[in-house]
Amino acid sequence: MSNTICITGATSGLGQATARLFVKNGWKVIGTGRREDRLQSLKQELGDSFFGLTFDIRDRAQTFAAFGSLPENFAAVDVLMNNAGLFAGHGLVQNADMDAWERMVDTNILGLLHCTRTVLPGMLARKHGHIVNIGSATGTRAFPTGNVYGASKAFVRLFSDNMRADLLGTPIRVTCISPGRTRTEFALVHNDGDVESMEQEYRQGQPLLPEDIAHTVWWVINCPPHMDVTQIEIMPVCQADGGVRFQDVAR
Ligand SMILES: NC(=O)c1ccc[n+]([C@@H]2O[C@H](COP(=O)([O-])OP(=O)(O)OC[C@H]3O[C@@H](n4cnc5c(N)ncnc54)[C@H](OP(=O)(O)O)[C@@H]3O)[C@@H](O)[C@H]2O)c1
């Protein structure tokens, strides 16, 4: 009997690459997202090993109902990859768009909590499971305009560790993977669908590829059951910290 991974945000980027890798390696994959057409294309590509679940992770009731609707052969989730997320808005904290903040908090924090809380009890009942949360390199360092996005990813990082504290004494493993810049539709969403702005972001240096992160997920979940890779940060070679900033104070 093959194992099952549920990947939130499988309609593009890291989630889609991970779905492909796991099906190729004989796993069953539940892929989620709001774009049903994309999930249907993946189903056509990956066949019966793939099951698409269309729902918005920001909505608690929709999330519980979606997982409750899984057919029996996909219902026992061995790995949950909490991946769906986004960076919205370009504003500084003093003039940021509050709607963009809400979108990030509702998706990156609340959405992740909804999925975790729905799937975890089954893992505990089966005494088997691994939750892989996708954080970000921005979750541990400040940068201008990173205000709520970076803070939401800091939440993901600490929530992962806090889950481990609560789950001590159970066999459930929790991993937080924090990537640096990765070429996906992330920058397209961040730039409200403007392809040229996205290309500009990815033009500098060579970003990571979604497959780089997919292989990392594959590695952490295949470590021996007594071993839990708790936190990993992965950067493209072309990315490093900018250091402390100084600027004269305008009074
Ligand atoms: N790319 C990077 O440079 C980078 C770096 C560090 C961390 N990350 C993190 O990596 C994760 C994946 O991002 P990506 O780079 O693969 O971006 P992406 O290509 O834009 O994929 C984002 C995925 O999240 C899903 N999603 C967004 N909002 C959702 C909602 N409300 N309900 C359900 N699904 C939702 C999208 O599906 P639908 O639109 O179909 O709903 C999509 O499948 C995110 O958590 C992101 O913060 C990315």
Side-chain angles (χ1 to χ4, degrees):
M1 209 172 58
S2 55
N3 289 318
T4 302
I5 181 171
C6 173
I7 303 168
T8 68
T11 54
S12 73
L14 314 186
Q16 195 176 63
T18 308
R20 289 188 172 124
L21 181 69
F22 275 67
V23 167
K24 196 171 128 199
N25 283 283
W27 278 56
K28 287 185 288 188
V29 173
I30 302 158
T32 88
R34 291 162 301 177
R35 287 171 290 180
E36 193 166 8
D37 54 330
R38 295 252 185 136
L39 292 175
Q40 278 170 1
S41 308
L42 260 186
K43 169 89 189 152
Q44 275 195 336
E45 176 190 331
L46 301 176
D48 287 344
S49 300
F50 182 82
F51 190 89
L53 266 189
T54 313
F55 66 96
D56 188 329
I57 61 167
R58 292 173 294 182
D59 187 315
R60 192 203 304 187
Q62 261 189 46
T63 305
F64 275 79
F67 280 103
S69 74
L70 283 170
E72 208 180 326
N73 57 334
F74 279 90
V77 175
D78 300 292
V79 177
L80 170 64
M81 177 181 175
N82 274 318
N83 164 73
L86 56 91
F87 186 0
H90 295 267
L92 300 172
V93 72
Q94 55 272 37
N95 56 22
D97 172 8
M98 298 280 284
D99 290 339
W101 279 1
E102 253 182 59
R103 245 176 106 197
M104 289 187 282
V105 170
D106 288 355
T107 311
N108 302 354
I109 297 179
L110 270 181
L112 180 143
L113 294 177
H114 294 153
C115 296
T116 303
R117 188 61 185 78
T118 310
V119 171
L120 193 51
M123 288 181 169
L124 285 165
R126 293 186 295 278
K127 295 188 171 25
H128 175 73
H130 196 148
I131 297 195
V132 179
N133 294 324
I134 301 300
S136 166
T138 65
T140 47
R141 37 180 78 73
F143 67 99
T145 76
N147 42 71
V148 168
Y149 177 68
S152 75
K153 292 302 185 174
F155 172 91
V156 173
R157 182 186 167 84
L158 189 57
F159 181 64
S160 303
D161 285 342
N162 279 340
M163 279 180 70
R164 293 195 68 250
D166 285 358
L167 290 166
L168 195 64
T170 79
I172 311 302
R173 297 186 290 180
V174 183
T175 300
C176 179
I177 299 176
S178 299
R181 178 171 288 182
T182 312
R183 184 180 249 289
T184 64
E185 291 179 20
F186 183 77
L188 190 65
V189 174
H190 186 211
N191 290 295
D192 301 319
D194 180 1
V195 177
E196 179 46 35
S197 303
M198 173 187 77
E199 289 302 335
Q200 208 167 326
E201 276 196 30
Y202 291 138
R203 215 164 274 150
Q204 198 182 15
Q206 184 181 352
L208 296 167
L209 297 174
E211 291 75 17
D212 300 329
I213 307 304
H215 282 107
T216 308
V217 178
W218 180 252
W219 175 66
V220 300
I221 66 107
N222 280 297
C223 286
H226 69 273
M227 173 177 165
D228 190 353
V229 181
T230 57
Q231 301 276 351
I232 308 186
E233 181 180 88
I234 304 166
M235 288 286 200
V237 176
C238 66
Q239 184 175 355
D241 287 334
V244 180
R245 300 162 73 234
F246 295 93
Q247 193 168 330
D248 284 332
V249 176
R251 298 192 192 277

